[in-house]
Amino acid sequence: MSSRRLILLLSALEVLAILPIASFPALLPDFIAAWGLSNTEAGWIAGIYYLGYMLLVTPAVMLTDRVDARVIFIIGSAVTGISTLAFAVFADDFWSGLLLRAIGGAGQAAVYMPGLRALTDRLKGGEQSRAVTFYTASYSIAISLSFTITGLLAEWYGWRWSFAGIGLGSLIAAILAWILLKPQTPPGAEAGARAGFALRPVLRNRDAMGYIIGYAAHGFELTAMRAWVTAFFVFVLARDAALAASLPSPTVLAAIVTLIGLPASLLGNELALKIGRRRALILIMGISGIMGVLMGFTAILPAWVVLLYCAVYFVFICGDSGALTSGMMAAAEPEHRGSTMALHSALGFGISVLGPLCVGFALDQAERMLDGQTVASWGLGLAVMGIGALIGPLALYWAGRRAA
């Protein structure tokens, strides 16, 4: 198989496998109403997916040193699909939803990074950098489709059939990966490697740690935005009924905004290649963090201005993802690449748990202080998202100074 076809195949399988990722955030306002959830409880269910991911990603990635990443990807896709189907059948309150979303996140731990490893193990040299960027950018397609398909199926058939449909997508990814990807013995298995997770050498690698911490800050911001953007759009459009009547549903609008992440990630990586990766990332992440701090307060503006602002904001949110991951891969010491990838993913997605939760908690506190949902309560709640994101450029600046 040619390198181009391989990149397209793995990216398409990635999209199918992670379709369930935004299913709960896409319908978050509906679940809050139907299950009587507080914002904090809704944030827990939205964020627990990433906690399940964090707990399993290190062993899943480290296993790719000795087992073909294709096999791990297949297992992870199957677990994700089965847990999503179980959510469709059994979830009916906070605790059942929390448990099944956590299992789904654990399945995703065996999908995203093992899929990237399956791709890079089958490529050589210069093909890897842009392949990594295209693969990570395809994540935005998956998120957009997750919002769109979940919302449309829920509108037509109800949320249970919606979850069942996207769960089947993950199972199809497992089947296609089994059929279309040729087995390959990883280099570690040929060498008889038995090395486990090596944390200390990775922590000593200042350059890699800058990208890893930056990725964690990016994850905090990104998952918070994904979890709460639909609910924010509901609030904004409720203030402008005339415009709301002429636009698609808030779920579809959220999907359109998230789709912007695909070209943004690709363009961000190209900018990094031209002006320097660290400089480009500090610029992009700095602007993104500031826009995050201000996002909630924009609700005082006309609704069409808010939607445009959120679309531009998402360009900056996603503009750093490919460059952060390719920077980590480049900075990783070859003998500790598996460990570096594991820490990158574990910390990134572990901190991602806190994004939806912290914003939900801040929204609850702001609503108590201000007697309900207001522009100020959304401003204070979403400002947490931007403040967390600003840790990223600070970490990259720190790592750059130490490296120099």
Side-chain angles (χ1 to χ4, degrees):
M1 184 182 296
S2 69
S3 59
R4 181 175 297 179
R5 289 184 179 179
L6 182 64
I7 294 169
L8 290 174
L9 173 62
L10 261 301
S11 298
L13 292 178
E14 172 203 8
V15 169
L16 272 177
I18 63 178
L19 274 180
I21 192 170
S23 52
F24 185 84
L27 303 177
L28 188 141
D30 298 333
F31 283 113
I32 289 176
W35 291 357
L37 303 174
S38 68
N39 290 324
T40 303
E41 288 174 330
W44 264 114
I45 300 178
I48 199 69
Y49 204 80
Y50 303 98
L51 180 59
Y53 185 106
M54 180 192 71
L55 294 176
L56 200 67
V57 69
T58 297
V61 174
M62 294 307 301
L63 198 58
T64 62
D65 286 336
R66 300 192 299 276
V67 178
D68 187 358
R70 160 184 172 271
V71 175
I72 300 169
F73 180 91
I74 290 168
I75 294 171
S77 299
V79 171
T80 301
I82 292 169
S83 66
T84 306
L85 289 172
F87 193 103
V89 176
F90 300 112
D92 57 9
D93 59 12
F94 171 75
W95 290 108
S96 57
L98 191 76
L99 174 62
L100 290 169
R101 286 293 286 177
I103 295 172
Q108 290 284 278
V111 170
Y112 183 57
M113 278 295 176
L116 178 60
R117 183 69 186 266
L119 176 60
T120 55
D121 280 353
R122 289 164 171 80
L123 296 175
K124 297 179 181 179
E127 297 175 328
Q128 291 187 358
S129 177
R130 285 191 171 88
V132 169
T133 303
F134 192 85
Y135 179 89
T136 55
S138 298
Y139 197 83
S140 296
I141 294 180
I143 300 298
S144 179
L145 287 177
S146 183
F147 272 108
T148 303
I149 296 173
T150 300
L152 291 177
L153 290 179
E155 184 178 340
W156 296 335
Y157 306 110
W159 73 263
R160 292 191 185 275
W161 282 108
S162 176
F163 272 71
I166 58 176
L168 286 175
S170 298
L171 293 178
I172 290 171
I175 295 169
L176 292 178
W178 180 267
I179 296 172
L180 300 177
L181 273 180
K182 292 182 179 180
Q184 177 169 310
T185 303
E190 294 176 351
R194 293 184 177 273
F197 179 56
L199 177 62
R200 189 172 297 176
V202 180
L203 293 177
R204 285 200 301 259
N205 186 339
R206 305 284 185 180
D207 195 17
M209 284 305 302
Y211 294 110
I212 290 172
I213 297 172
Y215 187 69
H218 161 78
F220 180 94
E221 178 185 35
L222 184 61
T223 56
M225 173 68 166
R226 285 174 181 158
W228 290 102
V229 64
T230 304
F232 181 59
F233 284 171
V234 169
F235 172 76
V236 169
L237 292 175
R239 296 163 57 85
D240 191 340
L243 179 62
S246 64
L247 291 175
S249 69
T251 301
V252 174
L253 289 174
I256 294 170
V257 168
T258 55
L259 186 59
I260 295 172
L262 173 60
S265 183
L266 295 172
L267 293 173
N269 189 66
E270 293 302 314
L271 178 65
L273 293 174
K274 288 185 177 180
I275 70 171
R277 185 179 284 116
R278 197 182 309 277
R279 182 183 299 174
L281 285 171
I282 290 174
L283 176 64
I284 293 170
M285 297 185 79
I287 294 174
S288 179
I290 293 169
M291 292 189 74
V293 170
L294 299 176
M295 175 177 158
F297 296 104
T298 65
I300 198 172
L301 302 172
W304 69 268
V305 177
V306 179
L307 296 176
L308 180 61
Y309 182 95
C310 290
V312 174
Y313 175 38
F314 209 79
V315 169
F316 285 97
I317 290 180
C318 294
D320 55 13
S321 60
L324 284 166
T325 301
S326 59
M328 174 275 298
M329 295 285 282
E333 298 168 347
E335 64 272 24
H336 300 300
R337 179 164 292 167
S339 296
T340 307
M341 290 176 66
L343 183 61
H344 180 82
S345 196
L347 187 61
F349 282 83
I351 296 298
S352 295
V353 177
L354 301 177
L357 176 60
C358 289
V359 170
F361 179 78
L363 283 169
D364 276 339
Q365 301 310 307
E367 287 177 13
R368 288 192 185 98
M369 289 190 300
L370 301 170
D371 296 324
Q373 283 194 9
T374 64
V375 171
S377 70
W378 275 105
L380 293 172
L382 294 181
V384 173
M385 174 174 67
I387 292 170
L390 290 172
I391 295 173
L394 293 174
L396 288 163
Y397 177 74
W398 164 81
R401 291 192 63 187
R402 296 301 297 264

